[in-house]
Amino acid sequence: PQNCEQYFSLLQTFIKEHDPSAFHNNEERWNDLLKRLVDSVNSHPIVESECAGDHQIDLVLLRLLDILRSLFSFAPALKMTGLCESLIRQIFYDCLFAIPPAKPRRADQHLPPKCKTRESRSSGFRLLVELCRDCVHNFNIVATLVREQLESARKQAQSQVPSSWSLPSAAPKPSHGYVGLQNQGATCYMNSFLQQLFLLPDFRSRILSVENPLPVRSNKKSTYSCNDDGGLLYQLQYLFGHLQESLKKHYDTAGFCMSWRDSEGMPINTAQQMDANEFFNMLFDRLEASLKHTPQENLLKEIFGGVLTNQLICKGCPHSSERD
C-alpha cells in the first residue's frame, strides 16, 4: 500500500471532478465508499514514529484522510450519516489526541496517536473542519470532545500540582529517544542521579514491577516521604514510566519533589543545592524502607550491595589474613 500514490490521486480526482448531481442517483454506492474508507482508517496500523528526528510520513493514512475530506466536500449529505459521529471520535482520539498506554511495549511498536507528523495532523484537522462545515450536529460533537479534553487536562494538572497551574510541554521527544527531567530551580543533582538510575535496566524494571506502592496515609509526620503526594516509591515509578514511554521532550519532576521530605516533614527546597552523595544515601535509605514487605525487598542489596573485607598482609612473609 505504500506504493499506491497514483491510486489515491486517481480516486481523489474522480471524487473532485464528479458531477454532484450523480450523488442522488447512486447514493448507496457513495455510502458504501464512505464505509470502506472509514473502515480503512480504523484498521490502519500506527506507522509514524514518536521521535522528533524521524519524519516518516504515513502516506496511506494521509491520503485516506484527504479522500474523506474530498468526499464530504463533494457530498455534504454524507455528513449526516450514522458513520460520521464514530468517524469524528476516531479522528479526534485515535489520529490526533490518543494518550499512550502505561503498559510496556515492544521496541518496534509505535505509540499512539496515528498522526504525529505535521502533514498527517494537518490533514486530520482539515477533515474535522470539513465535517463541521455547515453541519451544526457535527460541530457540537467536536466542541464537546474539545471541552472534555480540556477539562481532563485541567483536573490532571490540579491533582499533580495543586498549588500551581502549568501547561504540559508541547516539544516532542528528541530523535535519540530519551526524555529529559525538568529542573525545578537547583535540582540538577537530583535529575542527574535519577537519570543514571533509570539507565540501569534491571533496577528500572524491578522498581516498576512493584504493585500497589501507595501507602496508608497517617496523621503522624515521618522522615520518610511515603505519607504524602502518592509516596516516594510511587513517584519514582511515575517518573520512570514517563522517562520510558513519554512522547514529550521532558518530564516535570514537581510531583517527585513534593514527595521528598526533610527531617521535619517539609517538602524539599528546590532552590537550594544539595550534595549528590548525600541525596544518594537518603534516597536509598528511604527506598529500602518503602520496599519492605514487597517482592523487591532485597533490590538495593542485590544490585548495589557488596562485601567489605579487611585484609592483613605480612611484609616479611607470604602469609595474609582477611575478614569480611
Side-chain angles (χ1 to χ4, degrees):
Q2 297 289 345
N3 300 320
C4 294
E5 179 72 19
Q6 294 178 344
Y7 168 77
F8 286 120
S9 298
L10 176 63
L11 180 57
Q12 191 167 10
T13 302
F14 171 78
I15 294 173
K16 286 182 177 180
E17 297 185 359
H18 212 75
D19 184 2
S21 62
F23 170 75
H24 301 286
N25 299 328
N26 298 280
E27 188 171 346
E28 184 176 348
R29 290 187 177 182
W30 289 108
N31 278 293
D32 182 64
L33 175 60
L34 173 61
K35 184 179 184 305
R36 289 173 180 269
L37 291 172
V38 172
D39 290 342
S40 296
V41 174
N42 185 39
S43 61
H44 189 70
I46 302 175
V47 175
E48 295 181 349
S49 171
E50 54 270 16
C51 295
D54 188 350
H55 296 291
Q56 178 186 1
I57 303 173
D58 187 351
L59 294 176
V60 174
L61 180 60
L62 178 67
R63 294 308 178 193
L64 286 172
L65 297 177
D66 286 344
I67 291 172
L68 278 168
R69 181 165 53 89
S70 298
L71 182 60
F72 287 119
S73 178
F74 160 74
L78 290 174
K79 298 178 184 180
M80 297 304 298
T81 60
L83 285 173
C84 278
E85 182 170 351
S86 62
L87 175 62
I88 290 173
R89 294 181 178 277
Q90 184 179 320
I91 299 302
F92 190 89
Y93 288 117
D94 296 346
C95 294
L96 296 174
F97 299 111
I99 299 176
K103 61 183 180 180
R105 60 188 173 106
R106 302 189 310 271
D108 60 343
Q109 181 183 5
H110 295 306
L111 293 173
K114 294 182 178 180
C115 298
K116 298 185 184 71
T117 62
R118 178 179 299 179
E119 293 80 1
S120 61
R121 292 186 68 80
S122 295
S123 183
F125 284 121
R126 287 197 298 268
L127 175 56
L128 287 180
V129 170
E130 180 59 44
L131 282 164
C132 294
R133 195 187 311 277
D134 300 323
C135 184
V136 177
H137 178 70
N138 290 345
F139 176 82
N140 288 334
I141 294 175
V142 174
T144 300
L145 293 177
V146 172
R147 188 164 56 247
E148 290 174 353
Q149 190 88 344
L150 292 174
E151 182 65 16
S152 175
R154 183 186 67 81
K155 290 181 178 179
Q156 184 178 11
Q158 288 182 339
S159 64
Q160 289 182 358
V161 189
S163 60
S164 64
W165 172 270
S166 59
L167 294 176
S169 170
K173 182 190 295 187
S175 58
H176 52 62
Y178 295 109
V179 177
L181 294 175
Q182 182 176 341
N183 196 329
Q184 301 297 325
T187 57
C188 50
Y189 66 92
M190 177 188 296
N191 292 354
S192 60
F193 185 69
L194 291 174
Q195 287 280 19
Q196 292 180 64
L197 290 180
F198 172 76
L199 291 174
L200 299 175
D202 191 26
F203 179 79
R204 175 177 72 241
S205 62
R206 292 176 66 176
I207 284 291
L208 291 173
S209 71
V210 179
E211 297 183 0
N212 301 322
L214 289 175
V216 177
R217 293 185 178 273
S218 171
N219 294 327
K220 297 180 180 180
K221 288 187 177 180
S222 172
T223 56
Y224 299 107
S225 57
C226 58
N227 292 322
D228 297 286
D229 303 293
L232 179 66
L233 178 57
Y234 171 79
Q235 289 295 338
L236 183 62
Q237 287 183 318
Y238 201 67
L239 185 147
F240 278 3
H242 275 268
L243 291 180
Q244 180 172 288
E245 302 293 345
S246 178
L247 304 183
K248 299 177 184 178
K249 185 176 182 180
H250 66 264
Y251 169 70
D252 189 347
T253 59
F256 183 86
C257 293
M258 287 287 291
S259 71
W260 186 268
R261 305 281 167 158
D262 60 20
S263 58
E264 298 180 355
M266 300 300 294
I268 187 175
N269 183 359
T270 57
Q272 181 178 346
Q273 185 74 23
M274 184 177 177
D275 181 72
N277 185 60
E278 182 183 358
F279 173 73
F280 157 74
N281 291 324
M282 292 175 64
L283 176 63
F284 273 33
D285 285 344
R286 298 178 182 187
L287 278 180
E288 188 174 27
S290 298
L291 290 169
K292 283 185 177 180
H293 310 298
T294 73
Q296 302 299 335
E297 185 172 0
N298 297 319
L299 167 64
L300 300 180
K301 183 186 298 184
E302 292 172 358
I303 294 182
F304 303 101
V307 177
L308 181 64
T309 301
N310 292 322
Q311 189 176 51
L312 296 175
I313 301 177
C314 180
K315 288 185 177 181
C317 62
H319 297 290
S320 65
S321 64
E322 64 180 40
R323 183 178 59 184
D324 293 341

